[in-house]
Amino acid sequence: MFCGAHIARPTGTRLQQKPACTPTTGRQDCCFNMANLIDGRAIAERVYVDLRREIAELKANGVTPGLAVVLVGNDPASRAYVRSKDKMCRELGLHSLKLELPESTTQAEILSRVEELNADSNIHGILVQSPPPAHIDEAAIVRALDPRKDVDGFHLENVAKLVLDDPSGFVPCTPLGVQRLLIESKIEVNGAHIVVLGRSMIVGKPLALLLMQKNANANATVTVVHSRSRDLAKVTRSADIIVAAIGRAEFVKADHVREGAVVIDVGINRVDDAAGERGYRLVGDVAFDEVSKKAGAITPVPGGVGPMTIAMLMSNTVKAARQSL
């Protein structure tokens, strides 16, 4: 394989500012004898072009989509995620409300805030950043959300709508982002055998349900494997498309992948790297260097699924605003 015309090209000023690739750069989005790269950042920018048009139409009808993000505690990763979501809201012209609550916030206090947001007509989407502190019952918080504002897609009503192929529900953002990556990359899903590694309610289960739906962007044969699956590598080698969401750094090796398969890496893990500026580096659930030599297409980490998760959160918020009319 070679670096050629099929590789997604960066668009937008932020993407153009990356330093040039060299053999020592160490970025996964640098192409040296690797598979065709699926550029999540570039695809997310295309999503935002569509969203800006929808947002302008809503504003012309007197509706500004509004997203409220509730953060409890001081987890650094959660704070970073919340900042990026707030920043993107503002770039798109959405109404953004960020509630940062102390670690000591009680269950009753969070539920009270959720009730206020449920009743606020300026807020169309509510997201309570996960994970909350240990003393908080996260499932009870999700159940308290108005399902029409549950843009994370975890409320029981939205899970049921996903099972029932009801398009009015909200699909969790990461699975929705994976599907959009496949669509925008013109990767055939209809009739394909897709193996999903991981069975979480955040990615694995909803993604399997989404990709087996009866519509033009799905119709896949989906197999879900996990830590207790037998002959896991044998199963993954039968896949046209592999989605790795197992939460283990560089778990998927070259012998898990057949020649030419598409590999979508949902994982993001920190591994020690004494030579790195920060003392660590970010890797996915896929051993990128070896798998990219066999895969027909592959997502990098970072820069693959991550940008699409935020893009789909924005998309779900705009959808919630549209459905409120």
Side-chain angles (χ1 to χ4, degrees), residues 304-321:
V305 174
M308 292 302 297
T309 297
I310 293 178
M312 292 302 98
L313 175 63
M314 300 298 114
S315 180
N316 275 351
T317 301
V318 172
K319 175 181 174 179

Side-chain angles (χ1 to χ4, degrees), residues 189-205:
V189 173
N190 196 320
H193 181 208
I194 301 179
V195 174
V196 178
L197 285 84
R199 52 183 169 178
S200 75
M201 279 303 300
I202 297 173
V203 182
K205 289 178 183 176

Side-chain angles (χ1 to χ4, degrees), residues 8-275:
R9 299 298 181 193
T11 59
T13 56
R14 286 177 296 168
L15 298 176
Q16 292 167 352
Q17 292 170 354
K18 290 182 182 179
C21 291
T22 69
T24 57
T25 301
R27 289 208 323 266
Q28 289 186 353
D29 60 343
C30 294
C31 181
F32 299 101
N33 299 317
M34 68 170 63
N36 293 335
L37 203 69
I38 300 173
D39 188 339
R41 291 190 178 99
I43 293 172
E45 289 294 338
R46 296 208 292 270
V47 172
Y48 293 138
V49 169
D50 294 338
L51 288 180
R52 285 186 175 93
R53 184 176 58 252
E54 288 190 60
I55 292 164
E57 291 172 358
L58 285 166
K59 286 184 174 181
N61 287 301
V63 176
T64 298
L67 174 66
V69 178
V70 181
L71 173 65
V72 185
N74 299 302
D75 180 72
S78 292
R79 284 192 171 278
Y81 290 142
V82 169
R83 280 196 303 270
S84 63
K85 291 164 185 172
D86 180 61
K87 181 173 181 287
M88 186 49 64
C89 277
R90 296 183 188 282
E91 287 185 14
L92 292 173
L94 272 63
H95 170 51
S96 178
L97 178 62
K98 183 170 60 172
L99 297 179
E100 297 181 290
L101 306 177
E103 184 95 12
S104 59
T105 304
T106 66
Q107 181 90 6
E109 289 170 333
I110 299 174
L111 288 171
S112 176
R113 292 298 188 106
V114 167
E115 281 185 30
E116 292 171 8
L117 296 171
N118 282 342
D120 188 341
S121 61
N122 293 316
I123 297 298
H124 303 96
I126 305 169
L127 182 149
V128 180
Q129 183 64 42
S130 181
H135 67 280
I136 299 299
D137 181 351
E138 186 173 10
I141 302 298
V142 172
R143 288 195 299 271
L145 294 172
D146 182 338
R148 296 170 297 179
K149 298 187 177 188
D150 168 39
V151 288
D152 240 357
F154 297 138
H155 189 281
L156 297 176
E157 185 172 315
N158 285 314
V159 173
K161 286 184 174 183
L162 176 58
V163 173
L164 296 170
D165 292 8
D166 183 339
S168 70
F170 296 101
V171 177
C173 300
T174 299
L176 200 57
V178 169
Q179 185 185 48
R180 187 67 177 266
L181 281 175
L182 294 170
I183 293 168
E184 295 289 336
S185 301
K186 295 179 170 53
I187 293 167
E188 185 63 58
V189 173
N190 196 320
H193 181 208
I194 301 179
V195 174
V196 178
L197 285 84
R199 52 183 169 178
S200 75
M201 279 303 300
I202 297 173
V203 182
K205 289 178 183 176
L207 180 60
L209 289 167
L210 184 64
L211 294 177
M212 69 172 69
Q213 286 185 340
K214 192 174 182 179
N215 63 58
N217 295 320
N219 286 324
T221 300
V222 182
T223 302
V224 177
V225 296
H226 47 78
S227 59
R228 298 299 180 92
S229 297
R230 296 177 182 173
D231 299 322
L232 189 146
K234 181 179 179 181
V235 177
T236 58
R237 280 195 298 270
S238 70
D240 301 303
I241 301 168
I242 296 173
V243 182
I246 205 165
R248 294 174 61 181
E250 300 181 320
F251 176 83
V252 177
K253 308 293 187 186
D255 64 357
H256 288 90
V257 181
R258 70 168 177 80
E259 196 76 34
V262 174
V263 180
I264 307 294
D265 192 349
V266 176
I268 185 160
N269 311 279
R270 284 189 181 188
V271 297
D272 293 337
D273 183 0

